[in-house]
Amino acid sequence: MSGGSLSIALSGLDAAQTGLDTVSENISNANTPGYLQETASLANQQTPGDPIGNGVTVTGILQSSNSFNRQLELSANGAQSYANQMQSLLTSAQASFNEPSSNGIAEQMNTMFNDFSNVADTPSQPAAYLQLQASAQNVATAINQAATNLTATYNQAASSASTLVGTINAQLQQVASINTQLASTSLTPGASNTLVDQQNQVIDKLASELGVTSLPGNAGQTTLLVGGVALVQGGQASSISFSPGTQTEPPSLSQLATVTLQSSGTTVPVSGGTLGATLTALNTNLPSYGDRLNSLASSLVSQINAVIPNGTTYPLFGTLVGSSFSGSSTAPQLNAQTFSANPQFASTYATLSASQLASDGPAFQAAANLQTATSVPNPSGTGTQPSSMAQWASSVAQVGLDVQNATANATNATNTYNQAYSAEQSVSGVSVNSQLVNLVNYQQQYQAAAKVISTVATTLQSLIQDV
């Protein structure tokens, strides 16, 4: 009888101690990313045919989780990182334009058009042409600088993506390694829980970086997918490669950055996380802004040279072709990076006679009027196109709108993630207050079991003394 009582009490001590150890583990890791709350699973220990029972046994240490909430949290994590990265990249692109500012393209264009009016008012004064040439070069320099800045933003984003892919590959290998360890049958008790916690930490990072989908498998293993492409299956991980595409200055929509499997070259459709946002910016937003800069340069060449006197012979804007300047919008290599004013413009007009210069006043005024015009005739003679000023105003407004939308999306994505994270933590997270209640309960259980042992020991001692 006493032996059975001691055995039952001892099992209670062991169970209570396991519960106390579990509470300690939970409290210690309350703020550890990826940690799943643990619970000691207890069961009645009973010999078949014995109606009384033989105490309590610990059947395992269970981790609290909800796969549905976990998937929502991972998805929201990837969406939040995507939105934050887009906001960061578009804000950098907006800064490339340096608008509005006294050195920005719009202000330099306004100065140039004002100088056109000065030439129209005093067409026989050489100083007016020199001032116009200087202000035109300031416009070209501002556009060149914007193109340089935008190219730098593109190159930095591409470099960051390449570095991030290296980090991702190491993390994919880590998940595969953990899968292999989880499949082992030689793990010590509780070791699998630690591995699952480590795995969750890595998957959280991959969700933020890549927007992965995690499919749970046997023994805590996981399969990781991106757009239906498996990157981790069991103990096997696939490495990915990043290519920034064909680079131009400034970035152009002809470029295409891609992520592919190293082994087969299969395109990995990354659309979430930091890498997904970087790909979107590299393939869509930044090249679009580069094309707008190129279009502005082309418009200035065609629209201004079309109205000033002898614009095709003595252009204000153009690219150097051989030993002369061409005012054609299709001149070789004409873009925002190579765009420049003709350094021979003022000296060329200085060779004209006073009567010729005087007759050119109205034409230069027509060029000055482009400052307030919203549209101009197409070079083909049919229809109209936006004026260079209207075109640039539209470009600046579009970039501003993109940044505004990206900021709003980042705020919404953060709110969504916080909600998903709270829902997931309500199941798998550690509540310190609840653990303190469990601590008291296990302490009382331990004391009760110890009291039984003490009582049995006292009773046995009394019986021995009575014999």
Side-chain angles (χ1 to χ4, degrees):
M1 176 75 178
S2 61
S5 299
L6 287 173
S7 177
I8 292 173
L10 181 59
S11 70
L13 279 177
D14 291 339
Q17 185 60 59
T18 301
L20 290 170
D21 292 342
T22 302
V23 169
S24 176
E25 184 77 7
N26 286 334
I27 294 177
S28 298
N29 291 280
N31 297 316
T32 301
Y35 180 80
L36 300 179
Q37 176 182 260
E38 296 181 347
T39 303
S41 176
L42 307 180
N44 180 40
Q45 183 173 282
Q46 188 168 1
T47 303
D50 186 344
I52 298 177
N54 303 106
V56 61
T57 184
V58 179
T59 60
I61 306 298
L62 304 181
Q63 292 179 302
S64 301
S65 64
N66 181 295
S67 60
F68 178 74
N69 286 349
R70 175 63 172 163
Q71 291 303 323
L72 288 180
E73 188 265 335
L74 289 176
S75 177
N77 187 2
Q80 176 186 234
S81 295
Y82 179 98
N84 288 339
Q85 178 71 350
M86 282 298 296
Q87 180 189 22
S88 175
L89 290 175
L90 295 187
T91 299
S92 295
Q94 185 182 44
S96 300
F97 286 174
N98 195 27
E99 294 285 9
S101 78
S102 59
N103 297 320
I105 294 173
E107 189 62 31
Q108 297 301 327
M109 289 173 66
N110 279 324
T111 300
M112 178 188 67
F113 285 120
N114 290 335
D115 288 339
F116 268 116
S117 291
N118 292 335
V119 172
D121 293 338
T122 57
S124 60
Q125 296 297 319
Y129 292 90
L130 286 171
Q131 181 59 42
L132 175 58
Q133 178 181 308
S135 61
Q137 183 55 49
N138 288 340
V139 171
T141 298
I143 293 175
N144 297 158
Q145 187 60 55
T148 297
N149 293 343
L150 190 63
T151 300
T153 299
Y154 182 97
N155 290 340
Q156 175 150 9
S159 176
S160 297
S162 181
T163 301
L164 181 60
V165 163
T167 300
I168 288 172
N169 283 335
Q171 291 168 344
L172 294 173
Q173 291 292 340
Q174 188 175 354
V175 173
S177 175
I178 292 175
N179 277 346
T180 299
Q181 295 177 66
L182 287 170
S184 172
T185 59
S186 61
L187 289 175
T188 59
S192 61
N193 288 357
T194 301
L195 288 171
V196 169
D197 292 339
Q198 294 173 358
Q199 184 185 73
N200 285 337
Q201 291 181 18
V202 181
I203 292 175
D204 283 339
K205 294 176 182 177
L206 287 168
S208 174
E209 297 160 350
L210 195 60
V212 296
T213 298
S214 175
L215 301 181
N218 296 329
Q221 298 183 74
T222 188
T223 296
L224 297 183
L225 306 172
V226 172
V229 177
L231 298 183
V232 175
Q233 287 182 300
Q236 299 297 317
S238 298
S239 296
I240 59 176
S241 297
F242 168 77
S243 172
T246 304
Q247 298 191 35
T248 62
E249 298 183 5
S252 170
L253 285 176
S254 62
Q255 300 179 124
L256 186 63
T258 58
V259 173
T260 57
L261 293 178
Q262 287 185 8
S263 59
S264 63
T266 302
T267 298
V268 181
V270 181
S271 59
T274 301
L275 185 58
T278 303
L279 286 174
T280 299
L282 292 176
N283 290 336
T284 304
N285 301 90
L286 300 183
S288 174
Y289 302 155
D291 281 351
R292 284 178 177 273
L293 283 171
N294 289 338
S295 180
L296 175 63
S298 178
S299 295
L300 284 168
V301 168
S302 62
Q303 293 176 14
I304 290 178
N305 292 344
V307 296
I308 63 175
N310 303 307
T312 56
T313 305
Y314 315 128
L316 178 60
F317 289 112
T319 54
L320 188 60
V321 182
S323 59
S324 63
F325 278 80
S326 170
S328 169
S329 61
T330 59
Q333 299 181 348
L334 174 61
N335 59 34
Q337 192 70 55
T338 61
F339 180 62
S340 65
N342 181 357
Q344 302 169 359
F345 174 79
S347 60
T348 300
Y349 275 87
T351 64
L352 302 179
S353 66
S355 60
Q356 286 177 302
L357 294 174
S359 65
D360 289 341
F364 281 106
Q365 185 58 51
N369 293 340
L370 293 174
Q371 183 177 19
T372 56
T374 57
S375 62
V376 297
N378 279 321
S380 63
T382 59
T384 61
Q385 62 177 323
S387 68
S388 54
M389 285 294 291
Q391 181 181 342
W392 182 239
S394 174
S395 296
V396 172
Q398 183 61 57
V399 176
L401 181 61
D402 289 347
V403 172
Q404 182 180 358
N405 289 338
T407 301
N409 290 339
T411 300
N412 293 335
T414 297
N415 292 336
T416 300
Y417 171 73
N418 289 339
Q419 293 172 4
Y421 180 78
S422 295
E424 198 264 342
Q425 285 295 297
S426 67
V427 176
S428 64
V430 176
S431 169
V432 175
N433 290 336
S434 297
Q435 293 303 311
L436 291 177
V437 172
N438 292 339
L439 177 64
V440 173
N441 290 335
Y442 285 126
Q443 286 176 335
Q444 291 175 343
Q445 291 176 27
Y446 190 94
Q447 291 169 355
K451 185 64 175 178
V452 170
I453 293 175
S454 175
T455 300
V456 171
T458 300
T459 302
L460 287 175
Q461 184 65 31
S462 298
L463 289 174
I464 292 172
Q465 292 174 352
D466 291 340
V467 172

